[in-house]
Amino acid sequence: MGGNFLNYIGGKWKPARSGETFPVVNPANCEDVIAYFPKSGVEDVNDAVESAAQAFPGWARTPAPKRAEFLLKAADILIARKWDLAKEMTREMGKILKEAGGDVQEAIDCAQYLAGEGRRMLGAVTPSELPNKWAMAFRKPVGVCALISPWNFPMAIPMWKIAPALVCGNTVVFKPSSSTPVLGTLLVEVFEEVDLPPGVLNLIHGSGGETGELLIHHPRVQLISFTGSVETGKHIAEVAGKQMKKVSLELGGKNPVIVLDDADVDLAVEGILWGAYGTTGQRCTATSRLIVQDGIYPVLLQNLIQRIQKLKVGNGLDPTVDVGPVINQHQLHKIHAYVQKGTQEGATLRIGGEILNQGEYKKGNFYAPTLFEDVSPSMTLFQEEIFGPVLSVMRVRSFEEAIQAANAVRFGLSSSIYTRDLHFAFRAMEEIDAGITYINAPTIGSEVHLPFGGVKETGNGHREGAAWTLLEIFSEWKTIYVDYSGRLQKAQGIE
Ligand code: UN1
């Protein structure tokens, strides 16, 4: 690693036309500058979109099973390189090594799974209301897709978008987060190695505010798939709406775990720890609210706090570390501002609540795993996505009160309930307003072949993950009627 990285446009590696670059640093040691990346401007974006547009007709005509072969070959390379890539990911993004391995694995799973669509991509044949006439529908690609991915899953989320886009026959301009461009580049290099035709997958670096903005406005971009903040998502939806682009958004979460009196305490503690502090709380699916019934409250909180005290914060390459750094200084201070606001609003800070910047923590962006008690739905801590290792706890009397609290936010991504009572487990499945509900398991850990996404401000109605939901995003339906009667037949019974 090191030196200058480039954009990948039309099968060639190129700097930004302006020659300008930006650095990427290791969040566990900000003195470790990993590399410099092109700050792409309007000409670079135009070149990338143009190259995708030129490659589109040829790629759209390539048989889907052939397109899928590129995904399988890419998956094979990722398997061989899994732990090398994971190490680079820990250095660039901070998550602990075993989680980084999971991120690469999710990309592998996704590529393998979606390659199957190359031989499936089912359409529909259905009876016609008229004799001697066939009615059917098949899927066609959309066109040039702008894929804009976040930094928290630098390999999995790009693959969630690239694999379905490619297998459906679209061409792509991919802009990884400017915080994780190394991993974005390493992924594109894999597709170059398997000889994906030039122009089918283009890579462009730069910030969301500049490069991303140019990309979403480009008139030849027909589809935008974005994962990130609600605020940016709303802006993209507006831009896309005005230009009638297809748009798929995966946005924030404020994911609750409900623990009922009859729950297995140890199991719940394990799940809450993993959901709230795994990936340093930087998942859209992270557990950020804990809603606990009165009877189990004292023992659950006592056990949980004891376990939080033992979490080791540090560089994710150290195998004894549980919680890695926060992505950057901006996020670190944003987390701390939420924590200060929590105290001001009357929540009780039980553990953590501080930036760690002494000794071994001096050079990185580290935050102490934090837990607040006495949090109520009117507080900022309860409502806003913090994207850091901060868990807010609320005490409730009943299942009904727990559901009401769980639903009292503008997000609806993931959720969980710990109970041994089937009655309440099934009611939670139905009554929690979220795209995903886990029973006796944490809010994180979705599998690639099921719908992933949420309700309310978490998204705009699309789901990633499952092939059948992804195909709805990345393809268009074409309906065909074949009338072989040899005469004019009129539908709707018109004589
Ligand atoms: C995200 O946080 O944006 O369910 C994605 C999970 C992972 C995906 C998280 N499989 O936590």
Side-chain angles (χ1 to χ4, degrees), residues 181-194:
V182 173
L183 266 291
T185 307
L186 296 178
L187 180 59
V188 170
E189 278 178 11
V190 169
F191 281 102
E192 184 190 28
E193 273 178 63
V194 301

Side-chain angles (χ1 to χ4, degrees), residues 136-382:
M136 52 202 166
F138 72 99
R139 292 182 183 277
K140 288 189 71 180
V142 181
V144 175
C145 302
L147 309 182
I148 304 176
S149 62
W151 46 262
N152 68 333
F153 276 80
M155 196 57 42
I157 293 182
M159 190 63 104
W160 280 10
K161 299 181 187 301
I162 291 172
L166 294 186
V167 81
C168 287
N170 304 287
T171 54
V172 169
V173 179
F174 164 42
K175 193 199 86 62
S177 162
S178 52
S179 296
T180 51
V182 173
L183 266 291
T185 307
L186 296 178
L187 180 59
V188 170
E189 278 178 11
V190 169
F191 281 102
E192 184 190 28
E193 273 178 63
V194 301
D195 293 325
L196 191 72
V200 171
L201 172 61
N202 304 277
L203 167 73
I204 189 129
H205 293 292
S207 69
E210 289 164 43
T211 312
E213 196 63 15
L214 290 164
L215 189 56
I216 62 169
H217 277 94
H218 198 294
R220 295 198 72 170
V221 167
Q222 276 134 310
L223 181 155
I224 305 166
S225 171
F226 169 77
T227 300
S229 74
V230 175
E231 285 59 42
T232 307
K234 285 183 179 173
H235 168 65
I236 291 176
E238 266 183 54
V239 173
K242 286 198 183 113
Q243 300 184 359
M244 282 299 178
K245 294 181 199 295
K246 257 188 124 170
V247 60
S248 155
L249 305 167
E250 285 300 340
L251 310 172
K254 190 70 193 171
N255 314 295
V257 168
I258 296 173
V259 184
L260 297 186
D261 282 347
D262 72 327
D264 177 332
V265 177
D266 295 338
L267 184 68
V269 167
E270 288 297 332
I272 295 160
L273 267 185
W274 175 228
Y277 304 107
T279 328
T280 321
Q282 302 173 111
R283 293 197 193 207
C284 340
T285 51
T287 305
S288 57
R289 293 181 295 147
L290 176 58
I291 299 168
V292 189
Q293 205 175 359
D294 264 339
I296 201 169
Y297 192 97
V299 57
L300 184 86
L301 263 284
Q302 191 191 8
N303 291 5
L304 183 60
I305 288 168
Q306 275 171 9
R307 291 292 300 277
I308 297 171
Q309 279 162 347
K310 290 192 191 124
L311 289 175
K312 184 166 168 191
V313 178
N315 187 323
L317 288 177
D318 172 347
T320 64
V321 162
D322 304 296
V323 179
V326 167
I327 188 76
N328 55 37
Q329 284 285 315
H330 174 76
Q331 280 295 122
L332 191 71
H333 291 288
K334 199 166 150 190
I335 293 166
H336 195 52
Y338 275 121
V339 165
Q340 286 172 320
K341 187 135 199 209
T343 313
Q344 282 159 19
E345 288 182 353
T348 311
L349 177 63
R350 280 298 305 276
I351 185 165
E354 51 174 350
I355 293 175
L356 302 173
N357 51 16
Q358 301 299 312
E360 59 177 313
Y361 297 127
K362 236 186 202 140
K363 294 180 185 166
N365 315 318
F366 293 100
Y367 205 83
T370 299
L371 182 141
F372 276 98
E373 279 186 277
D374 308 318
V375 181
S376 64
S378 62
M379 293 180 189
T380 308
L381 277 181
F382 195 91

